[in-house]
Amino acid sequence: MAFNFEDNKKDATVLLQAVAEELQTNDLNKAGRIFRAVLHAIRDRLPVNEAVHFAAQLPIIWKGIYFDQFDPEKGPAKVRNSEEWINY
């Protein structure tokens, strides 16, 4: 099985460009920082099995970012309303 870094880079870049477009910015660094924060927020609020299933849909580079500093023992954050979601 060949591991093609260029294809993985392209997949990650295409997703980042889509995020930047959605955020209405040309700054890919800014879009990347925001996307990472959102991925971590989602990851920390999902049960472990669902967090892993969600990650399986991401390009491999974003999977690495998604799982950065992930602690499955911590479990999902308990969020009861939208204010708790934002302030967690």
Side-chain angles (χ1 to χ4, degrees), residues 73-86:
E73 296 294 321
K74 189 175 177 184
K78 302 215 184 318
V79 179
R80 293 180 181 85
N81 57 49
S82 58
E83 188 174 318
E84 285 184 6
W85 169 268
I86 293 169

Side-chain angles (χ1 to χ4, degrees), residues 47-67:
V48 174
N49 289 340
E50 290 180 28
V52 171
H53 181 72
F54 177 82
Q57 312 306 309
L58 296 170
I60 196 162
I61 294 171
W62 285 107
K63 283 179 193 171
I65 292 168
Y66 178 82
F67 283 117

Side-chain angles (χ1 to χ4, degrees), residues 11-85:
D11 293 343
T13 301
V14 167
L15 181 56
L16 180 58
Q17 288 170 337
V19 169
E21 185 177 314
E22 188 68 30
L23 294 171
Q24 299 177 354
T25 183
N26 292 322
D27 185 348
L28 293 181
N29 286 321
K30 178 180 179 181
R33 289 189 308 271
I34 292 169
F35 190 40
R36 181 186 63 205
V38 169
L39 287 175
H40 286 184
I42 291 169
R43 175 200 73 195
D44 292 343
R45 287 160 177 81
L46 290 175
V48 174
N49 289 340
E50 290 180 28
V52 171
H53 181 72
F54 177 82
Q57 312 306 309
L58 296 170
I60 196 162
I61 294 171
W62 285 107
K63 283 179 193 171
I65 292 168
Y66 178 82
F67 283 117
D68 182 40
Q69 299 179 16
F70 179 54
D71 182 4
E73 296 294 321
K74 189 175 177 184
K78 302 215 184 318
V79 179
R80 293 180 181 85
N81 57 49
S82 58
E83 188 174 318
E84 285 184 6
W85 169 268

Side-chain angles (χ1 to χ4, degrees), residues 1-13 59-61:
M1 178 174 111
F3 192 73
N4 191 329
F5 288 100
E6 289 304 315
D7 287 346
N8 291 319
K9 179 182 173 184
K10 181 181 176 199
D11 293 343
T13 301
I60 196 162
I61 294 171

